Amino acid sequence: MKRKLQNITNKATYFIAIIAILLIWQMLCSFGVVPSFMLPSPVSVCQALVSEFSVLMGHVRVTLIEAMAGLAFGVVIGFVTAVLMDSYEVIYKAVYPLLVITQTIPTVAIAPLLVLWLGYEMTPKIVLIVIATFFPITIGVLDGLKSTDQDAIRLMKSMGATKFQVFTQLKFKSSLGSFFSSLKISVSYSIVGAVISEWLGGFEGLGVYMTRVKKSFAYDKMFAVIILISVLSILLMGVVKVLRIKCMPWEQK
C-alpha cells in the first residue's frame, strides 16, 4: 500500500511540474514577454499539431522505420561485440579504444559524409542510427557480463558446465538488467539520430519536415515536431520498460 501511494505521489508530482511549465510558458507568450515569432505559445503549438496531424503521421512512419531498423542492427552488433570482448581479452584491448573514439566524433559531423557516400535514401540514416545506438548497448552488456558473480561461475565449472552453458544460464541472465538500461538510452538515441540524419538530406521524415517549416518560419509547427519526437521517445522507453518486466519477472517479486 505504501509503495502504491509513493508511485501515485511521484506521478502526481511529475504531471504537476509539466502543467506548471506549460502555464508559465503560456503566460510569457500571452503577456508578450517573449515575441510569438521567437517562442510560440502552447496553444499555438497544439493547434499546429492538430492541423498538421495527418501530414506528421506520414513523416512519423518513415522516421520510426529508420529508427527501428537502425536500433535493431545496433542492438545485434552491440551485443555480439560485447560478448566477444568479454570472451577474449585481446579483442577487448583492441576494440575498446576504438569504441571510445567513435563516441568523440559528433553525429552531425558524420551525417554529411554518410549522405555523400550512400546517397539520400534510407541507408545512410540507418548507418548513422547504428553508430549512435550500438555503443550504449555494447558498454551496458559488457558491464553486465563482467559483473557476473565469479563464485557462481566457478561453481558451474566445477560441476562440469561448458562455456556455452555458463553464458546462457548465468552470464546472459546477469547482463539483462544492464542490457535493458542501455536499450532505454539507445531507443531515444535512435529517434534523435533519425531526425538529425534527415536534416541533411532526404524526402520524408520528421527531420525533413522540420527543415521545411524552419525555412518558412513556421515555428509553431517546428515546436509541434519537437513535442512529437519527445512523445515518441517516451513511448518507446515505456515499451522497453514493459519488455524488461516480461523478460525479468524475478525483479517484480
Side-chain angles (χ1 to χ4, degrees):
M1 183 66 183
K2 186 177 179 181
R3 185 177 179 182
K4 288 183 178 179
L5 185 62
Q6 184 65 40
N7 289 335
I8 293 171
T9 304
N10 292 338
K11 289 179 180 178
T13 305
Y14 172 76
F15 284 113
I16 289 170
I18 292 177
I19 291 170
I21 292 171
L22 291 174
L23 286 173
I24 294 170
W25 180 3
Q26 183 64 44
M27 289 172 65
L28 290 173
C29 297
S30 299
F31 292 112
V33 178
V34 181
S36 59
F37 67 87
M38 291 180 63
L39 181 67
S41 68
V43 173
S44 300
V45 173
C46 288
Q47 289 173 344
L49 191 58
V50 172
S51 63
E52 294 289 306
F53 188 76
S54 59
V55 177
L56 286 170
M57 287 302 101
H59 291 291
V60 165
R61 180 184 61 82
V62 175
T63 299
L64 276 178
I65 291 173
E66 295 167 351
M68 292 302 98
L71 180 63
F73 283 113
V75 168
V76 172
I77 294 171
F79 191 87
V80 171
T81 303
V83 171
L84 291 174
M85 289 172 68
D86 178 67
S87 302
Y88 304 100
E89 189 67 22
V90 175
I91 295 178
Y92 175 82
K93 291 179 179 179
V95 174
Y96 191 81
L98 297 177
L99 290 177
V100 175
I101 291 172
T102 62
Q103 299 309 297
T104 62
I105 304 171
T107 307
V108 179
I110 301 173
L113 294 174
L114 293 176
V115 171
L116 178 66
W117 295 335
L118 303 173
Y120 289 94
E121 298 297 333
M122 198 173 286
T123 305
K125 300 170 180 61
I126 292 175
V127 172
L128 184 68
I129 296 164
V130 170
I131 294 171
T133 57
F134 92 100
F135 180 78
I137 297 294
T138 303
I139 298 302
V141 174
L142 182 63
D143 286 345
L145 292 172
K146 287 190 174 296
S147 64
T148 305
D149 188 350
Q150 294 300 311
D151 289 335
I153 294 175
R154 284 191 287 269
L155 176 62
M156 287 192 68
K157 287 182 177 179
S158 68
M159 297 174 68
T162 63
K163 284 187 176 181
F164 182 75
Q165 288 174 325
V166 170
F167 174 78
T168 55
Q169 300 299 320
L170 185 61
K171 283 195 165 189
F172 176 73
K173 292 180 179 179
S174 298
S175 67
L176 281 177
S178 299
F179 167 72
F180 281 110
S181 296
S182 57
L183 182 60
K184 190 177 289 188
I185 297 171
S186 294
V187 159
S188 60
Y189 281 6
S190 67
I191 299 294
V192 174
V195 172
I196 290 174
S197 64
E198 289 165 353
W199 282 350
L200 300 170
F203 307 102
E204 288 183 288
L206 291 175
V208 174
Y209 181 84
M210 285 183 76
T211 305
R212 291 172 183 170
V213 297
K214 183 186 72 172
K215 290 179 180 178
S216 61
F217 300 99
Y219 292 116
D220 54 342
K221 296 177 182 178
M222 198 166 175
F223 270 83
V225 178
I226 293 171
I227 291 173
L228 193 55
I229 291 169
S230 299
V231 171
L232 285 173
S233 298
I234 292 170
L235 288 174
L236 289 173
M237 285 190 285
V239 171
V240 173
K241 184 177 180 180
V242 172
L243 286 174
R244 178 172 184 150
I245 293 172
K246 295 292 184 183
C247 295
M248 303 177 66
W250 57 86
E251 282 194 339
Q252 309 307 310
K253 295 180 181 179

